[in-house]
Amino acid sequence: MKCTNCGGEIDAQALVCQYCGGRNEAGIAFYKEMYQRIQRNKLLAPLLLRQKTPELVQRMLTRIIAALAVLGMALVGASLGMVLMRNDPVYSDVQPEAGSYAAEYAKEQGDYNNSEYQSWIEYSNLFLDSLDEGRIPGRMCIEGMLNYGFRTYYSDRMDAQQQEQARLQVDAMLKGVLEFDQEELALFHKADERYSYYLAPDPDALEQLMTLVEEKLAARLEEGWEE
């Protein structure tokens, strides 16, 4: 496409013109749409939490309930009352609305091939929640978001169409939210050269990016975070 300011040929997804530095409204609108998709994925949290509940914990809960039944109806009644009063989305059977983003991805929740993508969704949601609350995400959250973003980008197990959509969302986070330049994007895409059979982010590059993100967010939050 052509820049509306100088007429130069630019990428439709570019945020600014590489010739005159003018804003590319089409590129900005694209990344805003991707950002909104990431926000909508927060609907997945109950499903993902339920999926990751360890089987051992479920067995322990079953044995505890059985033991309480032996102690008497009174104790069982009190326990059931406490459970019924507990509003925990992890144990909710509410299904996502048909046609929603949650419903679109819920059908893949048990697919091991998408586990890295699901982990990226979790970490990116935690990351965005922290920003919405006006605080810098924890270092572990930043590392998880970058690490699983890389693994999602270069996964060799995902369906090609699904991975294409996932890459758009990772790019929206990196370019639209974190405003990474080309040098910073190169750090994100740098692989660990110690492994030839397994793709993983370069640990030194990952460490640099985590520090960079913390510094960027600290400066941005001082000015006031804007979605």
Side-chain angles (χ1 to χ4, degrees), residues 110-146:
D111 188 351
Y112 172 73
N113 295 331
N114 296 312
S115 60
E116 290 163 339
Y117 178 41
Q118 292 172 357
S119 295
W120 180 79
I121 289 176
E122 290 184 79
Y123 278 108
S124 62
N125 283 339
L126 290 173
F127 184 91
L128 293 171
D129 285 341
S130 297
L131 294 182
D132 290 341
E133 295 169 4
R135 57 185 177 83
I136 299 176
R139 196 169 182 82
M140 184 178 296
C141 176
I142 297 174
E143 179 181 9
M145 186 266 295
L146 294 172

Side-chain angles (χ1 to χ4, degrees), residues 3-196:
C3 174
T4 56
N5 295 315
C6 68
E9 287 290 338
I10 61 173
D11 192 315
Q13 296 178 7
L15 296 176
V16 296
C17 175
Q18 58 184 333
Y19 302 107
C20 67
R23 288 165 55 92
N24 177 21
E25 298 299 333
I28 293 173
F30 169 78
Y31 286 113
K32 283 184 177 179
E33 171 64 20
M34 290 297 101
Y35 176 82
Q36 291 173 357
R37 289 194 177 197
I38 294 172
Q39 290 286 62
R40 290 177 185 136
N41 280 336
K42 292 179 181 180
L43 296 172
L44 280 175
L47 293 171
L48 292 171
L49 286 173
R50 187 190 311 155
Q51 176 191 355
K52 292 181 178 295
T53 302
E55 183 179 353
L56 179 60
V57 174
Q58 296 289 352
R59 291 179 180 177
M60 292 176 61
L61 288 174
T62 302
R63 292 176 182 176
I64 291 174
I65 293 174
L68 289 176
V70 177
L71 296 179
M73 292 301 297
L75 185 56
V76 172
S79 299
L80 289 175
M82 294 178 64
V83 172
L84 291 174
M85 292 174 61
R86 185 178 173 192
N87 184 21
D88 191 341
V90 174
Y91 301 100
S92 173
D93 291 326
V94 177
Q95 298 300 315
E97 183 180 351
S100 66
Y101 281 92
E104 179 182 348
Y105 294 112
K107 61 184 179 183
E108 303 165 1
Q109 63 176 322
D111 188 351
Y112 172 73
N113 295 331
N114 296 312
S115 60
E116 290 163 339
Y117 178 41
Q118 292 172 357
S119 295
W120 180 79
I121 289 176
E122 290 184 79
Y123 278 108
S124 62
N125 283 339
L126 290 173
F127 184 91
L128 293 171
D129 285 341
S130 297
L131 294 182
D132 290 341
E133 295 169 4
R135 57 185 177 83
I136 299 176
R139 196 169 182 82
M140 184 178 296
C141 176
I142 297 174
E143 179 181 9
M145 186 266 295
L146 294 172
N147 185 10
Y148 282 107
F150 177 93
R151 295 176 186 276
T152 295
Y153 218 97
Y154 294 103
S155 173
D156 58 358
R157 301 192 305 264
M158 291 180 66
D159 173 76
Q161 183 177 0
Q162 177 69 19
Q163 187 172 39
E164 182 180 357
Q165 295 298 318
R167 285 177 174 176
L168 287 175
Q169 292 183 331
V170 174
D171 283 337
M173 175 67 79
L174 300 179
K175 300 177 184 178
V177 179
L178 297 176
E179 299 177 353
F180 276 8
D181 58 26
Q182 292 301 316
E183 183 177 350
E184 294 161 351
L185 288 172
L187 281 176
F188 172 81
H189 290 288
K190 186 175 181 181
D192 191 342
E193 297 179 354
R194 295 174 299 175
Y195 306 103
S196 58

